[in-house]
Amino acid sequence: MAHPTMFDDADLVLGRLRRVCLALPGAKERVSHNRPHFFTTRMFAAHGGVVKGDHHSGMYDSSVLVLPDPGERPALLTDPRFFEPAYYGPSGWVGLNFRAAAVDWAEVAELIEDSYLNTAPALLCRQLRDRAGQRGADE
């Protein structure tokens, strides 16, 4: 039995998240587990999540899951906007709930970039760093 899609393609927050994620070198989107996931060779971000014991409330449907640097994870989880997502949390992932406060898109872009650098192949990471270096030289 097919599971229902758990996102709305017309969602403006998802649209903005897509633009941030798909701007990264080699990034692609595919629906996995009925939600948009962003990959290179491995997932670096996902839209929507759940927490252990609460799979049906929809409380975290508007969120992004990322893999931060391990040293940053504890501090992120002290912020009430962040949560430990079911399934991904034990592997170091965190979720940022977009409904918890006004979304700071610069912060989201930084979290996604860090997650990308923690999961993407070295060649793509180098391309991102080279692009960032070029952008800095142009300013």
Side-chain angles (χ1 to χ4, degrees):
M1 176 162 102
H3 293 284
T5 300
M6 301 175 82
F7 63 96
D8 177 359
D9 264 329
D11 179 357
L12 297 176
V13 171
L14 174 56
R16 187 128 184 218
L17 182 64
R18 279 183 169 130
R19 287 190 298 278
V20 171
C21 290
L22 296 175
L24 298 170
K28 296 187 179 10
E29 176 184 351
R30 88 174 156 232
V31 175
S32 177
H33 299 87
N34 304 309
R35 297 180 188 275
H37 286 64
F38 301 92
F39 291 84
T40 57
T41 56
R42 292 178 50 207
M43 181 179 86
F44 66 87
H47 177 262
V50 296
V51 294
K52 187 174 181 180
D54 181 9
H55 289 86
H56 303 290
S57 73
M59 183 176 204
Y60 300 103
D61 283 352
S62 186
S63 63
V64 64
L65 307 184
V66 294
L67 181 62
D69 292 328
E72 293 179 19
R73 187 174 191 272
L76 291 174
L77 289 173
T78 65
D79 184 323
R81 298 172 303 148
F82 289 86
F83 63 98
E84 182 169 322
Y87 309 109
Y88 300 101
S91 296
W93 291 72
V94 298
L96 171 58
N97 186 356
F98 292 142
R99 293 179 181 152
V103 179
D104 177 347
W105 285 101
E107 176 186 40
V108 171
E110 183 179 325
L111 289 164
I112 289 170
E113 187 173 298
D114 287 347
S115 187
Y116 177 93
L117 292 170
N118 288 330
T119 60
L123 176 64
L124 293 176
C125 292
R126 207 167 23 259
Q127 287 176 6
L128 178 61
R129 288 184 178 114
D130 290 349
R131 187 168 73 185
Q134 182 62 40
R135 198 170 41 240
D138 291 342
E139 294 173 0

